[in-house]
Amino acid sequence: MQTRLTDHIKDTPHGQEADAILRSCVHCGFCLATCPTYQLLGNELDSPRGRIYLIKQMLEGQETTEKTQLHLDRCLTCRACETTCPSGVQYGHLLDIGRGIAEQQIQRSPYITLKRYALRKLLPNRTFFSALMRVARLVRPLLPAHLKRTILPKPVITRHFTTKVHTRTMLMLEGCVQPSLTPNTNLAATRVLDKLNIQVITAKQAGCCGALAYHLNAQAEGLDAMRRNIDAWWPFVTRSENPVEAIVITASGCGVTVKDYGHLLRHDPVYAEKAARISHLTRDISEVIAAETASLIPLLQVKNSVYESTSPRNLAFHAPCTLQHGMRLKGKIEPILQAAGFNLTKVADPHLCCGSAGTYSILQPKLSHQLRNNKIAALTIENPELVVTANVGCQIHLQGGMQFPVRHWIELLDETLNK
Ligand code: SF4
Ligand code: SF4
């Protein structure tokens, strides 16, 4: 694609990156077939190719309008277009640049501005969010059914355990909303890793991965959250005795962002090198478990032979976009669940987004609900007993529309290893 970026942008780091991405697009349109918003709305401007054109026009100095911003806002950042694209167009990075420019040029209404501000200030605040969840659990019986389903009762932690000291150690990101919404996920992951002789530690100063603010176009604020996490993790990464071998993350939405720290901070003279090292060390929990298959399988074989009379439970696996398109970790979790004795039911169009997409479900509720309904239909074609996934956002979003449990897959592996 030919480009003519305006003088004031073309020599900036964002301008150069955008120019290279735009030039890699050959305008073939293959990406339209897998774009969820194009499938729903049928408008080229709600497709990857259409949005690429809108961003190109902005960068070439054409007027940015509210309509431009609307089409960019409607994008889920699911990146299904990236895994379809034969030319390797890095659409996600281009979208970040385009959204940042549109945000500077178009003033949002006071109501939307306040809503976006509240989301990026309140959700990453663990103290506030856990207090909010406590209140929500108290008033849960009074809430409408769809809201009730999204507020999971506080789990009774019945299986306390003392983490053994192991030579192998990994840092775990606790995240912002996950400890309040689904506290069992990281506990389950810690127990599974303990069985595999890996000790989990956490850095108290680490918090939200930064994705929330970054994708709400408060990019400087998002980058600050990333720097704070790097500072919190750095002493554990560089300590002379027993440095951590990985940073393990159980929410794929956070994992995809931390893996991108190196790219996002590459022009920061103080943090560029550290950010690249942190990204290099970051693993989704599925990558860690898959790499330990040789130790895991014998443990599972013992459990499966003792419990061979237990009929396998039928479950459907929902692969979050951040896992399959963002981190390109498609097909890692399913064999682990099968080895643990679960029967995976068929899922139609597994590449499509469930509509959660960070704060998208709050900011674009209509499209988000349509996508969730479609996803639930796709997940239940073979009547599974439960749905499992790999990201807290998808888990809570799907739970809001389902009558049966949606859980993190690591909880099932934990229960199998401890039954
Ligand atoms: S598939 Fe890739 S190259 Fe083709 S139009 Fe879409 S982004 Fe451009
Ligand atoms: S990121 Fe998802 S919603 Fe956005 S253009 Fe690509 S496929 Fe469509």
Side-chain angles (χ1 to χ4, degrees):
M1 188 185 280
Q2 296 294 314
T3 56
R4 276 191 201 169
L5 270 56
T6 56
D7 288 343
H8 77 277
I9 187 121
K10 74 175 182 210
D11 294 324
T12 65
H14 272 165
Q16 285 168 353
E17 183 185 11
D19 198 34
I21 299 173
L22 287 169
R23 283 171 181 271
S24 66
C25 174
V26 295
H27 195 55
C28 64
F30 284 179
C31 51
L32 272 65
T34 55
C35 174
T37 54
Y38 181 67
Q39 285 188 4
L40 287 185
L41 300 164
N43 181 346
E44 170 91 16
L45 295 178
D46 286 307
S47 78
R49 188 171 62 182
R51 291 181 179 118
I52 287 170
Y53 259 94
L54 289 173
I55 296 168
K56 178 177 182 287
Q57 286 174 348
M58 275 198 300
L59 294 167
E60 290 181 339
Q62 292 189 37
E63 192 193 4
T64 306
T65 65
E66 285 180 12
K67 214 165 153 271
T68 313
Q69 193 170 51
L70 172 72
H71 293 298
L72 299 187
D73 280 350
R74 281 187 188 152
C75 173
L76 294 141
T77 330
C78 70
R79 294 168 64 185
C81 46
E82 284 191 21
T83 46
T84 313
C85 175
S87 303
V89 173
Q90 293 181 1
Y91 170 83
H93 288 149
L94 182 67
L95 181 73
D96 285 338
I97 296 169
R99 278 178 167 167
I101 294 170
E103 201 68 26
Q104 286 162 12
Q105 297 186 358
I106 300 291
Q107 182 132 26
R108 295 182 187 271
S109 73
Y111 171 68
I112 296 294
T113 304
L114 183 67
K115 196 171 175 182
R116 293 170 72 93
Y117 180 82
L119 284 171
R120 65 172 213 263
K121 290 294 175 191
L122 300 181
L123 291 184
N125 183 328
R126 251 189 263 169
T127 313
F128 169 83
F129 196 74
S130 91
L132 181 73
M133 282 307 293
R134 274 200 297 278
V135 174
R137 282 182 178 123
L138 279 178
V139 299
R140 187 173 180 267
L142 309 172
L143 296 174
H146 71 283
L147 273 181
K148 213 186 268 184
R149 283 194 295 264
T150 62
I151 300 164
L152 304 179
K154 193 167 171 57
V156 182
I157 310 293
T158 51
R159 285 177 295 113
H160 282 288
F161 77 113
T162 316
T163 317
K164 293 189 201 96
V165 176
H166 300 293
T167 323
R168 297 181 65 191
T169 55
M170 292 186 185
L171 267 169
M172 185 174 276
L173 172 69
E174 290 185 286
C176 47
V177 297
Q178 182 166 284
S180 303
L181 284 172
T182 55
N184 196 44
T185 300
N186 275 2
L187 284 172
T190 305
R191 283 190 290 259
V192 171
L193 293 176
D194 185 53
K195 288 258 175 209
L196 296 168
N197 300 320
I198 297 169
Q199 189 181 350
V200 166
I201 55 174
T202 55
K204 288 294 161 220
Q205 301 308 317
C208 174
C209 65
L212 220 142
Y214 199 86
H215 292 304
L216 282 169
N217 301 336
Q219 295 176 348
E221 202 174 301
L223 293 175
D224 279 345
M226 297 172 197
R227 292 187 191 99
R228 183 213 48 223
N229 283 354
I230 293 170
D231 286 341
W233 290 328
W234 199 245
F236 298 95
V237 169
T238 52
R239 63 188 181 187
S240 55
E241 224 175 273
N242 200 17
V244 293
E245 61 181 90
I247 297 163
V248 56
I249 299 182
T250 55
S252 61
C254 306
V256 74
T257 303
V258 181
K259 284 190 180 212
D260 216 20
Y261 279 11
H263 176 81
L264 296 171
L265 289 165
R266 69 196 185 287
H267 297 300
D268 184 316
V270 179
Y271 283 87
E273 222 171 283
K274 291 180 178 181
R277 175 110 178 255
I278 291 293
S279 291
H280 179 69
L281 284 172
T282 300
R283 305 273 182 282
D284 182 74
I285 182 70
S286 61
E287 291 177 274
V288 177
I289 303 295
E292 301 298 322
T293 309
S295 311
L296 179 69
I297 296 296
L299 295 175
L300 290 172
Q301 280 167 349
V302 171
K303 296 294 175 184
N304 290 340
S305 66
V306 173
Y307 290 89
E308 62 191 351
S309 60
T310 312
S311 54
R313 291 216 287 162
N314 294 328
L315 56 90
F317 175 63
H318 164 59
C321 300
T322 41
L323 184 87
Q324 59 171 330
H325 306 304
M327 291 190 279
R328 307 209 176 197
L329 294 175
K330 197 174 164 190
K332 278 233 182 302
I333 293 167
E334 294 90 331
I336 301 170
L337 289 169
Q338 282 163 334
F342 294 96
N343 176 37
L344 296 185
T345 60
K346 194 174 161 204
V347 178
D349 296 325
H351 61 282
L352 287 179
C353 179
C354 67
S356 169
T359 52
Y360 193 92
S361 56
I362 300 166
L363 296 170
Q364 301 286 340
K366 197 169 160 213
L367 287 173
S368 171
H369 283 182
Q370 276 178 281
L371 289 167
R372 183 174 72 184
N373 290 344
N374 293 348
K375 179 54 73 177
I376 290 173
L379 284 164
T380 51
I381 44 179
E382 286 190 348
N383 300 317
E385 292 164 66
L386 78 159
V387 168
V388 289
T389 186
N391 185 46
V392 57
C394 309
Q395 185 180 347
I396 298 300
H397 180 64
L398 287 171
Q399 188 68 78
M402 297 195 98
Q403 303 300 331
F404 55 82
V406 183
R407 304 186 67 192
H408 194 290
W409 69 274
I410 198 72
E411 293 181 278
L412 300 197
L413 186 61
D414 169 44
E415 285 165 10
T416 307
L417 288 172
N418 287 290
K419 66 189 177 183

